[in-house]
Amino acid sequence: MNLSFFDQFTSPCLLGIPLILLSMLFPALLLPSPGNRWITNRLSTLQSWCIDLITKQLMTPMNKNGHKWALILTSLMILLLSINLLGLLPYTFTPTTQLSMNMALAFPLWLATLLTGLRNQPSASLGHLLPEGTPTPLIPALILIETTSLLIRPLALGVRLTANLTAGHLLIQLISTATAVLLSIMPAISVLTSIVLLLLTILEVAVAMIQAYVFVLLLSLYLQENI
């Protein structure tokens, strides 16, 4: 019974072929296809407004050099937001609960920001490892600590997204199972647990949106340090 709770995090397969790539590409079907007009319906207007809001939130703190990353960061934000929200639907698979996928997104982008800083301003990028005014005896230890904190950034990005979504999905499944079991035994308690389930679902919608925003926001802050 305990193992069945984690079956929802297993990548679905069809004839031995993993379907995780298909589940990642499915949110693209929700985007409108290009036409002769800029805005074709109200859904296109809402999507354009959301994309414009996301781009402004991410690009406002940056200088002009960071605006080159607007397309990458905005696309990543829309991808994570769509996958996280669609994963809350019943009988769906959430690719962002897989640590391998989150690390595949976090590590290359973090490395790109680091290499950008080393190429454009190597002195300033390496200067982050040793703050000004550090006492001489503490220099080796501080460099080691700052280097470690720098290298675990992509791991922290991937683990944070995976842990939050996995915990939310497990709580929803546990409470929904308790609601179904108590329905025939104690209907009053079952009603209370269903209310808790509804509130938890609303909370998980907010968590899915916040975690997508935090993931991209931290990448933008790492980029801001290196441009």
Side-chain angles (χ1 to χ4, degrees):
M1 184 63 181
N2 292 333
L3 294 178
S4 63
F5 286 139
F6 294 92
D7 289 343
Q8 59 177 318
F9 305 117
T10 304
S11 179
C13 295
L14 179 63
L15 300 178
I17 302 175
L19 300 180
I20 185 171
L21 181 61
L22 181 62
S23 62
M24 289 175 58
L25 296 178
F26 180 75
L29 300 177
L30 301 177
L31 298 177
S33 58
N36 297 327
R37 295 181 295 175
W38 283 101
I39 297 177
T40 56
N41 51 35
R42 295 180 180 178
L43 179 60
S44 299
T45 305
L46 180 60
Q47 289 177 341
S48 300
W49 178 80
C50 290
I51 292 174
D52 181 65
L53 180 63
I54 292 171
T55 306
K56 285 183 179 179
Q57 290 290 332
L58 295 176
M59 295 296 111
T60 299
M62 295 187 186
N63 54 24
K64 291 185 178 180
N65 292 330
H67 292 177
K68 301 175 183 178
W69 290 65
L71 181 60
I72 297 177
L73 295 179
T74 305
S75 301
L76 180 62
M77 175 73 180
I78 295 173
L79 174 67
L80 293 177
L81 191 61
S82 303
I83 291 178
N84 291 351
L85 292 178
L86 290 175
L88 293 174
L89 296 175
Y91 302 103
T92 56
F93 173 70
T94 311
T96 45
T97 56
Q98 306 296 312
L99 182 60
S100 57
M101 174 187 166
N102 296 333
M103 289 300 298
L105 291 174
F107 183 77
L109 292 173
W110 166 82
L111 185 61
T113 61
L114 183 62
L115 294 179
T116 300
L118 292 176
R119 184 188 65 178
N120 295 335
Q121 45 180 14
S123 299
S125 298
L126 295 177
H128 292 153
L129 301 179
L130 185 62
E132 186 177 357
T134 304
T136 304
L138 297 179
I139 289 179
L142 194 59
I143 291 178
L144 182 61
I145 293 173
E146 291 295 332
T147 304
T148 304
S149 65
L150 178 65
L151 295 178
I152 66 173
R153 282 180 174 181
L155 181 62
L157 283 175
V159 171
R160 181 187 295 107
L161 182 59
T162 303
N164 281 282
L165 295 180
T166 302
H169 285 232
L170 284 175
L171 280 175
I172 289 178
Q173 185 169 1
L174 286 170
I175 296 179
S176 60
T177 303
T179 303
V181 171
L182 293 174
L183 183 61
S184 58
I185 304 175
M186 293 180 287
I189 303 298
S190 178
V191 172
L192 293 177
T193 54
S194 62
I195 295 175
V196 173
L197 179 61
L198 177 61
L199 296 176
L200 181 62
T201 304
I202 297 174
L203 177 63
E204 284 304 311
V205 171
V207 169
M209 299 172 66
I210 291 172
Q211 289 304 316
Y213 177 71
V214 167
F215 188 93
V216 181
L217 179 64
L218 289 176
L219 279 175
S220 67
L221 292 178
Y222 300 156
L223 176 64
Q224 189 176 354
E225 291 180 358
N226 293 284
I227 56 175

